[in-house]
Amino acid sequence: MCCDLKSRFLLLYATQKGQAKAIAEEICQQAGAHGLEADMHCISEMDKYNLETEKDPVVIVISTTGTGDPPDTARKFVKKIQDTTLQPDHFAHLQYGLLGLGDSEYTFFCNGGKTVDRRLQELGAQHFYNTGLADDCVGLELVVDPWIDGLWLALKEAFLLQKEKEGMSSNALSSSLSAAPHVGHELNLSSEVQNLKLEDERLRSSDVLTQKLVGIHLVASARDSEPSLVHSVPPVSQSALNIPALPPEYIEVQFEDTHGENPHVSSLISVGTAFEVPVTKAVQLTREDAVKTALLLELDIADTVFDYQPGDTFCVICPNNVNEVEELLQILGLFDKGERFVCVRVKQGTKKKGATRPQHIPERSTLKFILTWCLEIRAIPKKAFLRALVECTSDAEEKRRLQELCSRQGASDYTQFIRDSNVCLLDLLHAFPSCKPSLNLLIEHLPKLQARSYSVSSSNLYQPGKLCFVFNIVEFLACPARPVSRKGVCTGWLAELVAPLLHCNKDTLDTKGGSSSTEKISIFARPNNTFHLPADPSVPFMMVGPGTGISPFIGFLQHRQKLREERTDWEFGETWLFFGCRHQDRDYLFKDELRCFLENGTLTHLKVCFSRDSSTAEVASPKYVQDVIRLYAKEVARVLLKERGYFYVCGDKKHMADGVSDAVVDILSMEMEVDKLEAMKILAVLREAKRYLQDVWS
Ligand code: FAD
């Protein structure tokens, strides 16, 4: 990208699912209004920038993936800066600001950003602006928006300092930066939202539209006295609104008259190889009256080179729900064009900087294919998308409400009625019937439909050529913003796909039944997994896996059983499993298999708890796995500390994994007679040594 040297800054993004890229694009877009020019690159494009010689300020937006890893696109970069031969002043010339994206439900929150930040500091680089850490758990925008607002002033101060250092007259510069106020004031910005320096009012007016409430009256009837997705109440309904600038359109869609074949879904992944494999067995593991329905699917991978170890996770490529796709086509007025091939291009003369055709959209495919396999149509619409939808809405009241929802004044309404309600595009189009977006807008704003990850629940030694996995069918109930209930995109699709071969043995939860089908699904490997059995079989280990979290441990135990049969001269360490579910007779997954493992000595200790069964015992039985673990404090400390064993946790991250690590910290503190802080440090060391391992999801 061509840049004016006086006001250029280098903008790098490291993205996994596209969020960091979208935020970098937003920064790039806003830069112009501040008299600055962003030289934007993906951090992996290392031939397009050079930090060793970079003189201008650098802005980095970086997300986190897996268990605290930087995104795949940042791997090379991180490896390069982690070179231990680099001198402590290697980046002494560099000034930078870093925005990390993460999810605080994961243990290593924003670790991708923190790793890069820490290393740049070690190599002498200096912050011109404090690091922001945005949390997807509560809404990235809570930190991202004010961080970007404060960035402009910080950048301008950085430019002035840079010029002063270079001994140049700042006259020329200050004329180009005439909008920069308070040049001399202290740069003391914090990543905490409340401490963030909000933008200067004069700058604010250059990138946001101030909308006056002219001629639009929102009459609140008694029914509407409470705010909702479609109704607002004072003060929001009476406020002048600061709404984001309209993102420039950059995609052009052309319908073609040609015919042909859609690409194979396996071509949709950017790394690795996808395999189309038959589903050979489907078993319902829970009784009909269980709160959640868990299914086990068996895949035949014998005719592929797909390989795995117990504990690995893999990804399933899934489509959107066919009815939702058709409904969307209907609303867009494109129902008759679903089977037509479309050509997606970057719009000529677009004002969007660095616009490229989204990589997840094939060059040629039918419209239905794009809506079915490429776009996450259930994604929660971002504020920029709402802003763009305003322009496609004809009804004045609907228009105003959409403006409110993307405005600063409507931030809490956005959180409550869109984000926390998990509203998707279809919900919005139902709620705002005069909104008729164009297809190109959908392609510009809907993210890539992501493949879903699952833990392998089998051993290739025990069942050669097979791969099993277990999942709960995710169900979302209807709510005011969503009149229909829905199933999870992937789990709903899988459940429907395997319904004909579902074998449900209500009495025994028999997992050996089921019949084969011709249904196939596409899968691919998920790299970087350390969640494996200890290399040394004589080392003891403990497994904690309530609900579907038991899945990888069935693979571990199958593997161990086979090894015990085959390697009679080997020494095997003790094995513990902590399992929990709601009801003993409704959702105790793999009950029979676990009994067999226990009987044949593969499993040394099985500790189970039931959270919803009433107890007749005088002393209430523990409800959750973390409560049971506390009862075995001495054994946990012995296995982890004395015998250098392993501790595995799998399943729900929100409610379980944190409870388990709190229990382990308390145990370490008690057994080692150290305070809690010291115990937390010991746990951190165990994590670092990959002896306390988690495979958790929401
Ligand atoms: P989605 O449609 O993607 O919905 C999932 C989530 O989105 C919900 O939990 C909710 O938070 C939110 N959501 C979306 N729409 C709504 C709405 N309308 N109302 C409320 N909330 C909404 N899962 C397993 O069952 N077994 C496993 O072994 C397993 N292993 C995993 C391993 C890893 C490393 C990871 C990252 C995840 C794993 N998961 C596992 C989770 C799995 O990948 C999927 O996220 C899960 O199956 C749901 O997918 P889905 O497409 O059906 O649901």
Side-chain angles (χ1 to χ4, degrees):
M1 232 173 290
C2 165
C3 298
D4 168 1
L5 275 179
K6 278 182 189 165
S7 53
R8 168 194 175 272
F9 65 97
L10 177 65
L11 172 58
L12 299 177
Y13 64 84
T15 202
Q16 188 72 23
K17 295 186 179 173
Q19 271 171 324
K21 183 175 183 220
I23 290 166
E25 285 172 350
E26 172 72 24
I27 293 173
C28 189
Q29 201 61 44
Q30 287 192 25
H34 294 269
L36 304 173
E37 187 110 27
D39 184 11
M40 184 174 78
H41 302 285
C42 172
I43 207 159
S44 62
E45 299 172 323
M46 288 161 77
D47 53 329
K48 300 206 174 126
Y49 64 91
N50 185 355
L51 289 191
E52 268 76 19
T53 56
E54 185 60 59
K55 291 214 169 65
D56 293 330
V58 179
V59 174
I60 301 173
V61 185
I62 174 168
S63 61
T64 297
T65 188
T67 38
D69 305 317
D72 295 344
T73 48
R75 271 208 217 137
K76 252 197 204 156
F77 174 86
V78 172
K79 199 168 169 214
K80 191 172 171 201
I81 62 170
Q82 276 176 342
D83 178 351
T84 48
T85 62
L86 296 178
Q87 296 300 310
D89 62 350
H90 186 76
F91 284 137
H93 59 284
L94 214 62
Q95 0 171 31
Y96 73 102
L98 185 142
L99 176 61
L101 312 181
D103 186 329
S104 62
E105 282 181 14
Y106 286 90
T107 314
F108 301 104
F109 173 59
C110 275
N111 201 47
K114 286 178 185 170
T115 305
V116 170
D117 201 13
R118 205 170 34 236
R119 188 61 185 146
L120 290 178
Q121 293 283 304
E122 282 168 7
L123 296 173
Q126 312 210 349
H127 286 137
F128 72 85
Y129 186 37
N130 273 16
T131 297
L133 300 177
D135 184 359
D136 207 13
C137 176
V138 292
L140 288 175
E141 67 275 8
L142 290 181
V143 166
V144 171
D145 291 353
W147 193 88
I148 296 178
D149 289 340
L151 174 66
W152 310 116
L153 188 55
L155 267 172
K156 288 173 182 186
E157 286 173 333
F159 280 122
L160 286 166
L161 280 174
Q162 179 189 349
K163 295 296 165 196
E164 269 167 24
K165 262 196 213 156
E166 287 170 11
M168 282 174 55
S169 148
S170 61
N171 290 348
L173 181 74
S174 50
S175 63
S176 84
L177 301 179
S178 54
H182 319 308
V183 164
H185 87 190
E186 206 187 352
L187 185 65
N188 179 23
L189 299 166
S190 156
S191 59
E192 301 291 325
V193 186
Q194 61 269 32
N195 295 338
L196 271 163
K197 194 189 316 182
L198 291 179
E199 84 278 39
D200 180 85
E201 283 301 323
R202 277 186 287 167
L203 291 179
R204 179 191 291 213
S205 60
S206 63
D207 75 319
V208 290
L209 280 173
T210 301
Q211 284 257 327
K212 292 265 182 292
L213 243 190
V214 183
I216 300 174
H217 300 286
L218 288 181
V219 183
S221 67
R223 179 178 59 85
D224 302 331
S225 60
E226 291 290 309
S228 70
L229 177 62
V230 289
H231 295 287
S232 61
V233 295
V236 175
S237 61
Q238 290 168 353
S239 296
L241 303 174
N242 293 101
I243 63 173
L246 181 66
E249 293 195 354
Y250 71 100
I251 288 293
E252 201 165 61
V253 182
Q254 217 167 29
F255 284 93
E256 294 183 339
D257 288 327
T258 53
H259 298 277
E261 295 233 334
N262 274 312
H264 195 273
V265 294
S266 58
S267 67
L268 296 174
I269 62 165
S270 47
V271 277
T273 313
F275 301 94
E276 199 187 13
V277 292
V279 183
T280 42
K281 192 157 80 179
V283 182
Q284 183 169 322
L285 300 177
T286 44
R287 233 169 56 170
E288 286 303 312
D289 55 356
V291 175
K292 289 183 181 171
T293 305
L295 301 184
L296 172 141
L297 301 194
E298 181 194 82
L299 308 177
D300 185 350
I301 55 166
D303 293 337
T304 70
V305 291
F306 187 94
D307 197 17
Y308 71 88
Q309 288 185 54
D312 275 350
T313 51
F314 69 102
C315 297
V316 173
I317 302 178
C318 59
N320 284 309
N321 178 281
V322 64
N323 296 329
E324 288 174 35
V325 170
E326 294 197 342
E327 212 180 331
L328 202 51
L329 284 170
Q330 200 70 267
I331 294 175
L332 297 175
L334 294 170
F335 194 76
D336 297 339
K337 293 188 171 163
E339 300 302 343
R340 293 269 300 273
F341 273 78
V342 289
C343 174
V344 176
R345 280 196 291 255
V346 172
K347 203 174 191 152
Q348 284 220 325
T350 177
K351 293 210 171 72
K352 185 180 166 78
K353 303 253 165 60
T356 50
R357 193 174 57 77
Q359 292 305 297
H360 52 278
I361 306 288
E363 270 177 43
R364 269 192 85 256
S365 60
T366 61
L367 173 54
K368 229 179 201 172
F369 183 88
I370 293 176
L371 293 180
T372 306
W373 293 99
C374 308
L375 298 175
E376 182 95 49
I377 62 174
R378 288 267 191 93
I380 298 171
K382 296 252 163 21
K383 287 183 185 169
F385 194 10
L386 294 181
R387 175 66 189 89
L389 289 177
V390 168
E391 303 306 302
C392 324
T393 306
S394 52
D395 178 271
E397 284 190 19
E398 291 180 14
K399 216 176 166 96
R400 162 74 192 186
R401 184 59 179 144
L402 285 170
Q403 285 170 336
E404 287 170 356
L405 288 166
C406 65
S407 71
R408 236 166 246 281
Q409 292 73 7
S412 74
D413 279 10
Y414 175 84
T415 305
Q416 186 181 353
F417 301 118
I418 297 211
R419 195 189 148 78
D420 292 351
S421 308
N422 274 287
V423 157
C424 65
L425 175 66
L426 264 180
D427 300 327
L428 275 187
L429 297 179
H430 284 300
F432 299 92
S434 80
C435 177
K436 302 282 176 214
S438 57
L439 177 59
N440 63 296
L441 211 62
L442 266 52
I443 296 176
E444 284 164 12
H445 289 276
L446 289 174
K448 176 184 187 328
L449 177 57
Q450 297 286 344
R452 303 314 201 239
S453 304
Y454 294 95
S455 310
V456 172
S457 184
S458 51
S459 152
N460 43 4
L461 206 58
Y462 186 89
Q463 306 181 68
K466 302 287 186 201
L467 180 157
C468 295
F469 66 108
V470 174
F471 61 90
N472 278 326
I473 304 173
V474 173
E475 299 202 49
F476 310 117
L477 299 177
C479 66
R482 184 181 49 252
V484 287
S485 65
R486 295 204 180 105
K487 290 202 165 70
V489 173
C490 186
T491 55
W493 167 67
L494 286 173
E496 214 168 286
L497 189 80
V498 304
L501 66 144
L502 205 53
H503 171 89
C504 172
N505 185 330
K506 288 181 188 140
D507 299 324
T508 64
L509 299 183
D510 182 347
T511 59
K512 295 179 184 69
S515 54
S516 48
S517 79
T518 51
E519 296 298 352
K520 290 184 171 183
I521 64 172
S522 292
I523 60 166
F524 61 95
R526 197 172 189 265
N528 263 340
N529 197 333
T530 51
F531 200 83
H532 292 141
L533 279 163
D536 176 356
S538 69
V539 168
F541 62 91
M542 294 181 145
M543 302 168 277
V544 185
T548 48
I550 194 172
S551 181
F553 304 134
I554 295 298
F556 278 15
L557 292 167
Q558 288 182 349
H559 206 77
R560 174 54 68 93
Q561 179 173 323
K562 199 73 190 159
L563 283 179
R564 282 165 58 93
E565 285 164 16
E566 288 178 355
R567 313 285 176 149
T568 46
D569 53 331
W570 282 14
E571 191 194 329
F572 293 95
E574 69 185 291
T575 55
W576 289 71
L577 176 67
F578 296 91
F579 175 75
C581 61
R582 288 184 175 81
H583 300 284
Q584 166 140 229
D585 53 357
R586 294 187 210 173
D587 55 356
Y588 187 165
L589 311 183
F590 299 103
K591 187 178 181 177
D592 295 339
E593 284 74 5
L594 292 177
R595 207 193 51 235
C596 289
F597 288 133
L598 205 54
E599 279 169 10
N600 67 28
T602 304
L603 185 58
T604 327
H605 304 277
L606 174 63
K607 305 294 167 198
V608 187
C609 56
F610 307 101
S611 61
R612 304 272 172 91
D613 280 343
S614 46
S615 163
T616 49
E618 255 176 50
V619 182
S621 4
K623 275 190 169 185
Y624 302 107
V625 281
Q626 52 268 45
D627 307 331
V628 187
I629 290 166
R630 287 177 193 276
L631 298 180
Y632 295 90
K634 292 231 171 307
E635 287 79 358
V636 171
R638 171 178 58 81
V639 166
L640 268 177
L641 303 171
K642 284 212 187 93
E643 298 172 9
R644 301 190 54 76
Y646 286 60
F647 198 95
Y648 300 88
V649 185
C650 180
D652 177 65
K653 68 176 145 73
K654 204 188 274 177
H655 303 110
M656 185 271 301
D658 289 347
V660 170
S661 67
D662 286 351
V664 172
V665 165
D666 288 345
I667 289 171
L668 294 174
S669 157
M670 206 168 60
E671 296 299 318
M672 297 188 71
E673 296 177 355
V674 294
D675 64 20
K676 210 166 162 178
L677 192 65
E678 199 53 39
M680 286 164 89
K681 283 188 195 156
I682 298 168
L683 183 61
V685 172
L686 290 170
R687 286 185 201 271
E688 195 70 25
K690 311 268 186 259
R691 288 206 290 119
Y692 186 97
L693 291 151
Q694 292 194 142
D695 180 14
V696 291
W697 61 82
S698 54

